[in-house]
Amino acid sequence: MLRITLFIECNNEEEALLIMNECLKLNDKYTSSFKLFSKEAYWKFDGWYKIVFDIETGCPINI
């Protein structure tokens, strides 16, 4: 499992989730499933959102 945290500057929470889905599409060949862990406005900056999600992979990711 891989936990990813995104800090996204956008207009609203729905737009932040759309950006998260675009990120998942970039790694589609590695991702077997994902689970949204949290989504919330980022308290340090107005207009920023924090999205945390877990990815299950079908094969090891070597970076």
Side-chain angles (χ1 to χ4, degrees):
M1 179 188 67
L2 176 66
R3 177 162 286 176
I4 297 177
T5 302
L6 299 176
F7 295 93
I8 304 167
E9 183 178 16
C10 56
N11 296 320
N12 55 46
E13 194 173 282
E14 289 77 30
E15 187 178 351
L17 290 174
L18 288 173
I19 294 169
M20 179 198 73
N21 283 320
E22 289 298 318
C23 290
L24 286 169
K25 287 179 187 177
L26 293 174
N27 295 308
D28 201 25
K29 65 181 179 179
Y30 300 111
T31 304
S32 58
S33 66
F34 76 95
K35 179 182 172 189
L36 182 63
F37 184 74
S38 70
K39 58 180 174 158
E40 57 192 21
Y42 188 50
W43 61 274
K44 287 188 177 182
F45 301 105
D46 290 335
W48 283 75
Y49 290 84
K50 179 181 174 185
I51 304 283
V52 181
F53 56 99
D54 298 330
I55 294 177
E56 291 290 332
T57 60
C59 60
I61 298 175
N62 296 318
I63 298 176

